[in-house]
Amino acid sequence: MSNKIDFNQIEEIRNKADIVSIISKYIKLSRRGANYFGICPFHADHNPSLVVSPSKKIWKCFVCGAKGNVFTFVQKYKKISFLEAVKEVAAETGFDVSKLSFINNNVSFLNPERKRLVEANAYVNDLYKSFLTDPKNSKYLEYLKNRGLNEETIKFFEFGYAPKEDDLIYNILTNNNNFLGSQRSSELTWNEKELLDAGIIYLNEEEKPVDFLIDRITIPIYDNNNYVVGFSGRTTGNSSTKYLNTGSTKVFSKGNLLFNFNRVRELNEKRVIIVEGFMDAIALYNCGHKNVLATMGVALTDKHLSLLNSLELDTVILCFDNDNAGQLATTENGRKLMSNGFNVYVVGKYDNQNKDVDELMQHKGKSSVDQIIDTRRDFISYLIDIKLSNQKSLDEIQSNINYVLKEMADYGDVLLRTKHFELIEQLAGIKVNDLQTKFNEFNKQPTRYSNQIKNYNPPRKNQNFNFELEQKQAIEIDNSSKEDLKKSVDISLKMSGQLVLSRVLNATRSLIAFLLNHNEFIDRAYNDDLSFGKYFINLPEIKIFNNLSYLLSKDGSVTLDSLMLHSPNIDKEIFSQIAQDDEFTFSKKSDKKRLVNKYGSLLKTITTSKANYIKWCKINETLTSDADTRDQKIKQLVDINQTIKSKKN
């Protein structure tokens, strides 16, 4: 049978596919007219610049230029082959995947290099599993059972054992010195570079190849398409390193994968439990909670959030370690999930003698694990508890109450607000009426600008933002009362202010990324009078920018790490956005003229948008600070509007 691909079949799938529905599984889309807009995942986007046209069945980013059809989006987003993307889309549209011509003809989804690496990992996984079932290694199987794992769980997660010999896996896979005989198939033989690229071996100080996992119980890590891409190895002895995990390779990155996602996706559950490590996920599964994912010890990334979004969840339950580090991980990841629209809960309390849910299962059994799941708390209640329990000093109580009220204003559910007030009253002794008064102050303030501005599309780069025109158009309402006009102005002010501020902050983040890669431009930025006045003084990006010159004079150079170290009170998410802004990193070795042009373009964007924002602030002050002045200004705008209308007539 030939490997011919039926392109008519592929075109049929493309026509049948709902491009909006499929792309929205990876990024959030909002409708504007006939098209849909979303944050582009292919560059450091902060405003919706990717447009999806359901009528034309295409998508395009008007900033980075990426574009294509439903197949190319899935291919580019998941970093898979075109044919594998076709398979993914076919499954989403209800097409019988078994009828795909390239499935029947065994056409590979992977490029040759990646195919070799995942095949090597799969072969090693089979070896590890066979070693675990070897009678001479029975003590390792007993070790797992003594930890409370049943046979079904051990088989499901494909536990194995990496032998003590430091080069056994290397010799088997390379057939070193005809280790398995001269007739060994070339398809089952890999070279040293391939094994290094897959993370299966490493070179020691003597440049000798050594197996990555030695004398450890193994767990394979699958990617979202059911390929083995790495391993976790747990010691059964007294090694100071309890776990060894595959590092970043050409087929594996922790930031792109969630452990057990390939299996959870098939469950179609509306609820998932997220834990920190492999054994915690396995412990929960062993107790009957199969809808469990592990972050593999890293904070949730944008790719993780997209994976979770694709599951169409109702609830996310966090079950991180039962210590200070776990508490911090719960807080950071919970806020990130809440800000992305997920309903977040945290497992109930359990004693500090058990660090994590794996230990809880071993020491107290399934009933205790079930109990912490059943007694889960909503995320805001969890924050109230950890911030206000056992607080003694008045200043600490005041600070923490302000913190939780701000979180309530930003993320809280209005249906649970009374419950949250009562919980604060119970823990801190502050009356509900007083809490409501204080909460109203926070609720009137704009929510964190990072959440506000991402839903607005900036003007195109070749357009000049005209605040006066925007303002006049916004209040152009026929036969409106003065109160209606006031409301219209307030709405216009809020939207316009967010829009202009977003341009300032986005450009400033890009400038910081540029200056971190090209320190020689830092002094020039300050000499060009790129200063920020009172309207910007408290914004995190501006605080970061103002530290650049100081660190340059202090250390002679500035890096992202030194900048973070010198700015401990700045939200790490800002630094993450700067680190992801790779628009200028490629030009590190570019010629001077090109760098100067890019710097000049950034400077112009910031200067222009900064001036517009200052203008907006001054108008805002005029319209909101004094009632008489505000009414007079509104009247002037209405008069201008009426004059324009009379001239048209």
Side-chain angles (χ1 to χ4, degrees):
M1 184 179 289
S2 68
N3 284 347
K4 183 178 180 181
I5 298 173
D6 186 345
F7 287 99
N8 290 329
Q9 192 180 57
I10 292 177
E11 184 63 16
E12 177 187 348
I13 296 168
R14 190 186 74 84
N15 289 331
K16 186 178 180 181
D18 183 342
I19 188 171
V20 172
S21 175
I22 291 174
I23 291 181
S24 65
K25 288 183 175 294
Y26 304 100
I27 62 173
K28 290 187 177 181
L29 297 176
S30 58
R31 185 169 184 173
R32 298 180 190 173
N35 298 323
Y36 291 77
F37 290 76
I39 298 292
C40 178
F42 307 125
H43 76 285
D45 197 12
H46 307 297
N47 296 280
S49 56
L50 185 142
V51 183
V52 181
S53 169
S55 61
K56 298 179 181 178
K57 291 186 176 293
I58 59 173
W59 60 274
K60 180 177 180 179
C61 175
F62 285 96
V63 174
C64 71
K67 60 183 179 180
N69 58 29
V70 65
F71 301 130
T72 54
F73 182 91
V74 175
Q75 177 188 13
K76 187 176 178 66
Y77 186 90
K78 301 188 75 172
K79 298 180 180 178
I80 57 180
S81 71
F82 176 79
L83 293 180
E84 192 164 15
V86 172
K87 179 188 173 185
E88 292 267 336
V89 174
E92 290 287 346
T93 59
F95 191 90
D96 187 348
V97 175
S98 66
K99 293 182 179 179
L100 290 170
S101 61
F102 54 85
I103 293 286
N104 295 328
N105 293 322
N106 297 315
V107 176
S108 173
F109 292 147
L110 301 168
N111 65 49
E113 181 183 23
R114 289 174 63 87
K115 182 173 183 290
R116 290 284 292 170
L117 301 187
V118 299
E119 286 176 344
N121 278 316
Y123 188 71
V124 171
N125 188 43
D126 288 340
L127 289 174
Y128 288 156
K129 288 189 291 184
S130 68
F131 292 141
L132 182 65
T133 57
D134 190 319
K136 70 180 182 182
N137 296 322
S138 59
K139 68 176 182 179
Y140 300 106
L141 191 57
E142 287 303 312
Y143 170 84
L144 293 172
K145 293 179 179 178
N146 290 336
R147 289 177 62 91
L149 300 181
N150 58 47
E151 290 187 5
E152 191 271 333
T153 299
I154 293 171
K155 182 178 180 180
F156 182 80
F157 285 100
E158 302 181 52
F159 278 93
Y161 171 67
K164 291 183 178 180
E165 294 91 333
D166 63 2
D167 60 356
L168 178 61
I169 298 299
Y170 170 78
N171 287 329
I172 292 175
L173 267 69
T174 61
N175 198 26
N176 187 38
N177 295 323
N178 287 328
F179 189 82
L180 296 177
S182 59
Q183 301 303 313
R184 178 70 167 173
S185 168
S186 61
E187 292 183 358
L188 296 177
T189 305
W190 290 264
N191 60 46
E192 183 177 293
K193 182 180 183 304
E194 289 174 324
L195 299 187
L196 286 169
D197 287 344
I200 294 170
I201 66 169
Y202 69 95
L203 300 180
N204 63 14
E205 294 178 356
E206 300 173 353
E207 297 296 308
K208 176 186 175 183
V210 179
D211 295 347
F212 178 67
L213 295 179
I214 300 171
D215 193 24
R216 288 177 179 268
I217 288 175
T218 64
I219 308 165
I221 304 170
Y222 281 84
D223 70 4
N224 307 326
N225 299 299
N226 290 311
Y227 293 116
V228 180
V229 292
F231 294 91
S232 177
R234 192 190 195 285
T235 182
T236 61
N238 298 319
S239 172
S240 59
T241 306
K242 186 182 293 185
Y243 290 96
L244 275 181
N245 303 319
T246 299
S248 294
T249 69
K250 293 183 177 181
V251 293
F252 172 57
S253 170
K254 288 182 181 180
N256 292 331
L257 301 176
L258 289 166
F259 178 71
N260 202 39
F261 180 85
N262 60 315
R263 301 176 179 109
V264 168
R265 182 171 56 182
E266 304 302 321
L267 297 176
N268 293 318
E269 292 271 1
K270 293 297 183 181
R271 185 186 84 183
V272 298
I273 305 169
I274 299 180
V275 297
E276 186 173 341
F278 306 96
M279 292 306 298
D280 293 332
I282 292 167
L284 279 169
Y285 181 93
N286 195 64
C287 292
H289 302 281
K290 298 184 177 182
N291 52 331
V292 59
L293 303 169
T295 63
M296 297 185 278
V298 299
L300 289 171
T301 65
D302 289 342
K303 186 63 181 290
H304 291 153
L305 294 171
S306 295
L307 292 175
L308 293 171
N309 188 54
S310 72
L311 297 176
E312 300 180 358
L313 301 168
D314 288 337
T315 302
V316 175
I317 302 173
L318 300 180
C319 183
F320 292 120
D321 286 358
N322 193 27
D323 56 14
N324 290 335
Q327 188 178 100
L328 179 61
T330 301
T331 301
E332 291 184 352
N333 288 314
R335 291 173 66 195
K336 190 173 292 187
L337 287 163
M338 291 284 285
S339 67
N340 280 273
F342 293 97
N343 295 318
V344 183
Y345 287 78
V346 182
V347 295
K349 298 178 183 179
Y350 57 101
D351 61 88
N352 293 330
Q353 294 177 350
N354 296 292
K355 179 186 175 184
D356 51 41
V357 72
D358 179 32
E359 290 186 3
L360 183 66
M361 181 199 71
Q362 292 180 61
H363 298 156
K364 295 196 172 182
K366 179 181 183 300
S367 60
S368 293
V369 174
D370 292 341
Q371 183 180 13
I372 67 169
I373 301 297
D374 293 339
T375 57
R376 61 188 177 273
R377 300 158 286 171
D378 68 273
F379 181 67
I380 297 296
S381 293
Y382 168 80
L383 286 182
I384 293 170
D385 185 37
I386 64 171
K387 287 292 183 180
L388 296 176
S389 293
N390 304 317
Q391 304 300 312
K392 296 181 181 179
S393 65
L394 289 176
D395 59 335
E396 196 171 25
I397 291 173
Q398 181 184 27
S399 174
N400 287 336
I401 287 177
N402 286 336
Y403 172 86
V404 296
L405 290 177
K406 186 69 170 72
E407 296 297 307
M408 286 173 59
D410 284 347
Y411 309 127
D413 190 327
V414 66
L415 298 177
L416 299 175
R417 189 171 298 160
T418 300
K419 171 190 171 183
H420 294 150
F421 283 153
E422 291 173 350
L423 183 57
I424 297 172
E425 181 181 38
Q426 176 186 339
L427 293 174
I430 308 298
K431 297 299 182 183
V432 169
N433 289 342
D434 295 330
L435 292 171
Q436 179 69 64
T437 301
K438 187 64 176 178
F439 173 81
N440 290 341
E441 295 179 13
F442 286 114
N443 211 28
K444 289 177 182 178
Q445 297 174 5
T447 55
R448 288 184 177 90
Y449 65 84
S450 59
N451 290 333
Q452 290 177 328
I453 64 176
K454 68 182 182 182
N455 294 320
Y456 293 94
N457 229 357
R460 292 186 182 179
K461 292 185 176 181
N462 61 352
Q463 294 177 335
N464 291 319
F465 179 76
N466 188 325
F467 177 81
E468 287 81 5
L469 181 60
E470 287 255 325
Q471 191 70 18
K472 284 186 285 187
Q473 291 175 345
I475 68 164
E476 189 173 340
I477 304 174
D478 292 329
N479 303 318
S480 296
S481 67
K482 182 183 292 186
E483 285 301 314
D484 290 335
L485 286 169
K486 289 179 182 178
K487 291 178 182 178
S488 177
V489 170
D490 288 341
I491 293 171
S492 175
L493 282 169
K494 184 177 181 180
M495 291 181 63
S496 299
Q498 292 165 356
L499 185 64
V500 187
L501 181 58
S502 74
R503 298 195 73 197
V504 178
L505 299 181
N506 291 342
T508 302
R509 281 193 290 267
S510 294
L511 178 66
I512 294 171
F514 176 88
L515 296 176
L516 288 175
N517 283 285
H518 309 289
N519 282 190
E520 67 271 21
F521 281 85
I522 293 178
D523 286 337
R524 179 169 182 168
Y526 285 87
N527 292 335
D528 285 338
D529 195 29
L530 188 53
S531 58
F532 297 87
K534 66 176 184 177
Y535 299 111
F536 303 89
I537 192 66
N538 292 318
L539 297 173
E541 284 85 347
I542 309 309
K543 291 180 179 179
I544 295 171
F545 174 82
N546 289 336
N547 285 334
L548 290 170
S549 182
Y550 167 78
L551 287 175
L552 184 67
S553 61
K554 174 177 174 287
D555 301 330
S557 65
V558 188
T559 66
L560 185 63
D561 288 339
S562 67
L563 203 55
M564 290 179 66
L565 187 64
H566 191 68
S567 312
N569 297 323
I570 302 295
D571 191 336
K572 291 182 180 178
E573 182 65 24
I574 304 296
F575 290 107
S576 175
Q577 292 170 0
I578 292 171
Q580 294 172 14
D581 193 336
D582 59 358
E583 184 178 354
F584 302 103
T585 57
F586 72 91
S587 62
K588 203 162 189 175
K589 296 181 180 180
S590 298
D591 61 271
K592 189 73 173 179
K593 183 178 179 181
R594 191 179 184 194
L595 292 179
V596 170
N597 288 341
K598 287 193 172 295
Y599 166 76
S601 176
L602 270 177
L603 185 67
K604 182 178 180 181
T605 300
I606 293 177
T607 302
T608 303
S609 54
K610 181 164 67 80
N612 285 328
Y613 183 68
I614 292 172
K615 187 185 298 182
W616 175 86
C617 288
K618 290 180 178 179
I619 293 177
N620 183 45
E621 289 173 352
T622 301
L623 296 182
T624 59
S625 60
D626 177 80
D628 293 334
T629 305
R630 180 183 63 226
D631 292 344
Q632 183 180 357
K633 183 65 177 178
I634 291 174
K635 184 178 183 304
Q636 290 175 358
L637 292 173
V638 172
D639 290 340
I640 293 172
N641 185 43
Q642 290 175 342
T643 301
I644 294 173
K645 282 186 177 181
S646 63
K647 287 184 177 180
K648 288 182 178 179
N649 295 331

